[in-house]
Amino acid sequence: MPHYEFYCHACKKTFSKVLTLAEYEEGEVLCPHCGSDNVEQSWSAFYAITSKKSA
Ligand SMILES: [Zn+2]
């Protein structure tokens, strides 16, 4: 399942969601913190996580 990172402009929090392709194309992503749809897909959060692999 694809996993997406989002940033909410309304409450300035990031969150992640697992969406099906159909859900993703619908664009119906709501912030779980405040319920706003003023969200933006965030790739920086994804890179922050993957770059922390300091083995
Ligand atoms: Zn929010």
Side-chain angles (χ1 to χ4, degrees):
M1 284 286 256
H3 175 113
Y4 300 97
E5 292 287 335
F6 293 93
Y7 173 76
C8 175
H9 289 280
C11 67
K12 298 181 169 41
K13 287 179 183 168
T14 56
F15 61 97
S16 58
K17 245 176 154 26
V18 176
L19 299 175
T20 65
L21 189 59
E23 283 175 318
Y24 181 68
E25 287 180 344
E26 285 280 312
E28 285 284 321
V29 180
L30 299 178
C31 173
H33 302 291
C34 68
S36 172
D37 64 354
N38 188 11
V39 299
E40 171 182 294
Q41 195 166 357
S42 164
W43 296 108
S44 55
F46 175 75
Y47 289 129
I49 290 165
T50 54
S51 64
K52 274 193 178 170
K53 279 183 187 169
S54 53

